[in-house]
Amino acid sequence: MRLKVVLLGEGRVGKTSILFRYIRNEFQEKQQSTLQASYMDKRIKVGSVDAQLSVWDTAGQERFHALGPIYYRDADGALLVYDITNSESFTKVRKWVKELRKIVGNDINIVIAGNKIDLERNRQVSEAEVLEYAKSVGASHFYTSAKQNLGLEECFNELATKMVAQNKAKFAGGVAGLGVPKGGKSKLVVVDDTGGGKKSGGGSCC
Amino acid sequence: MSLESSPAAPVGVDAAPPAPPPITRSSSSTGHYSSTSMGQSTPISSSRKSELLMEARSARQKWLTNQDPSYDESGSSDGPLLLSKTSLGSEFSTSLEPFLDHLYGPLSTHHINNLTHLTLPSSNPLLSNPLPSESPSYSTLISNLSTPEASDICSSMMNFVEQFREKSEDLLKARASILESKRIAPFKYSDSSPPLNLEAESASKLINQYVTNLLPQISSSPPFSTSKPEDLEPLITMFLHRKLYGICEALTSDVQDDDNFAERLSELSFINFEHFDITCLQPPAEEERDSVASTESTGSREPRQDLWDVPLNTLRNISTLKSPIEKIQNILQTSSEITTALTSALPPGDLPGADDFLPAFILCILRSNPSNFKSSLSYIQSYMPHSMQISEEGYVLANVMSGVSFLENLDEGSLSISKEDFRLGVEKRRAEISSRIQKSKEKERSIMIEKLAVSAPPLRSPPSFPEITAREVRSARLSNTLPSRSNSYIPSSPPPPPPFPVKKRYSYISHTADTLGINDVEGLLREYKELVYTCERLVKEREEETRRRDKKEREDKRRQMEGELEGYDNE
């Protein structure tokens, strides 16, 4: 099973480091120079299913924002990264979630990663706010540190598990008919479109 | 036989390759065979049989290795098409240029093969070599296809290519009318969903379906017993794409769009690394992201020029490659070379992520401004295997598409540049471009005027051109000067009229050696070349026609013989 994951996050939140740390399991050490650092394949086992993750890194700068849809298309999952020491980077996460739901639809699985947890003392993004938001949009949330290799496995495993489950459901649904929405998913979705939008409006003033 | 009745080949089912059974039968029934309608024809002797087989085999081999004259845009069927496709201007010579590019494409491809030497880390067996068409697996495929055991496969493919050509005429017409309507009412691509190209889509489907149908037969054929079907599939697809490149490319190309994009890029070519403030190229600093304006003072680093030139040169070659896989591999290679170049500017151990890579890629497109770039991309999009859409190939393609979209929609707000500087940059570039165009137009005009002036005199009155003696010419040549005309004789007779009425376009037809000046050489050479190319094209067309006729005759003959044999058997 081949699964596409887009990696979204503002510049300097550590997307590239996460990708590298997770897939090559090395962090800015003895890296070969010719490697492509913005795309990676990783085989992963979810239960009995062999899944291959194709992780697509995206440019996080505002000037490239409009290009997002070219990358999101057909994505099974998205990992949204923010920097816990930078509140603005979390505001961006809200923006991306909205956009993903609008463009890719409700089928895309979202995991939010609060990176740089090793810099806890400089935290600017409140934990309560983040968790509430994640819940409201049906996303899982993890704290990660690419530097100390914390939370990465969990993060990707959760995403892969969700994606595999959904793909299976899709196949099953495809046989039974076109009734795509599966219980849990569709519930999350409804919350997202209304509550998520309002919350992001309220949250951005912090 | 089941092959010909595949959905990909619904027409000409009867145009089957020479099938072995009738021949064997004919040799066994040699004794009582007497022909009724085919007067002199005798039963097929074993020597004649092997002769025919040899002939067929060498034809197949030629076809496989592209020595076949109909390969490469098959001058006959695609030449006029390419001409019509590109005849935006009315000048024949301008429309001839792309035609020639296509005609001599293979030469440049070879050139590139010599240039490209970097290999890519990739799991795809096709992509682990400089060029898939140069890979050992591809040459193995070709040599396997040339074996006698694979003759029916090969003939089936030849048939398919032939039928595809015939079928494609309607598609090409549809494409032409779409382009025409677009020219009248241009529309802008929306970023997320490029318009579906139905013609290319159906061409792609035809090829894929055919390969799918062919695959079981190939894998059961002895020469391919060791290869896996999943390895063969991309190779065969690539082979067919190379064969059909002229048509497939014409179904996706849009010369107008290409020109507009190329012009846009040259307008923007003042943009550089500093305008993107590529994070990884900036001096390491703790400052916040929004201190963007400080780039000028701190000065951003740039990748090493020699390394940066590598991806630019690679990408420039994209339009010369003749299959989707090769084109996308070109982009993969460009990407990897950009990464290498960026890494050179980074502290050791650092790697560029998408934040750094995408702007660099955009600059790479901007700087290299490859010819027919947008057409190349829509070609890839239409024909690339679906399996590649999620993998790295799909990713790099997404990068190119976003790069193109960014460059098309870019304004001063998209860059770290002041409004004023952006405006000045564009204006300066525009001025440069228009002055260059002006110059070339002036040059063209002066050539035209010269041409007219030269062709005019014989029409009015026979001018008194001085004649130059052989001795004078010789001495002038030795002294490396032009022979002077002033101290020469008057020509005895006006130039002879051409043997038949000709169009005025041939400006030199009524000239004699005396009336030609050194200034005419350029024009004369141009017309000469035009003439040669036209001749070549006509000759090719005729060859094609003859071949087609021969083939038909052979088939008719065979069918007749088969019929007769059947009659005998029944008796």
Side-chain angles (χ1 to χ4, degrees), chain A residues 175-192:
Chain A
V175 179
L178 291 171
V180 178
K182 277 266 160 182
K185 275 275 105 65
S186 66
K187 203 173 95 206
L188 296 173
V189 167
V190 177
V191 179
D192 154 55

Side-chain angles (χ1 to χ4, degrees), chain B residues 193-213:
Chain B
S193 52
L196 274 179
N197 182 341
L198 293 174
E199 291 74 39
E201 197 100 321
S202 61
S204 174
K205 254 185 217 150
L206 276 182
I207 297 176
N208 292 341
Q209 249 166 34
Y210 174 73
V211 174
T212 316
N213 290 338

Side-chain angles (χ1 to χ4, degrees), chain A residues 55-72:
Chain A
V55 189
W56 294 33
D57 193 4
T58 62
Q61 297 96 312
E62 186 54 43
R63 64 167 60 106
F64 299 128
H65 192 87
L67 306 174
I70 298 177
Y71 293 87
Y72 312 150

Side-chain angles (χ1 to χ4, degrees), chain A residues 2 11-12 15-16 20 28 31 33 35-39 56-61 63-64 67 70-71 73 86, chain B residues 192 276 279 287 289 339 349-355 358 362 389-392 394-395 398-399 402 406 414 416:
Chain A
R2 191 148 198 167
R12 296 195 180 182
K15 282 182 313 219
T16 310
F20 240 73
Q28 305 202 346
Q31 286 157 357
S33 59
L35 286 172
Q36 186 89 5
S38 45
Y39 169 89
W56 294 33
D57 193 4
T58 62
Q61 297 96 312
R63 64 167 60 106
F64 299 128
L67 306 174
I70 298 177
Y71 293 87
R73 205 188 299 158
N86 180 337
Chain B
S192 50
F276 281 103
T279 332
E287 72 223 49
R289 282 164 319 293
T339 307
D350 243 358
L351 266 183
D355 290 347
L358 184 62
I362 289 172
Q389 264 157 16
I390 290 189
S391 56
E392 185 158 14
Y395 179 70
N399 279 330
S402 26
F406 183 81
S414 330
S416 308

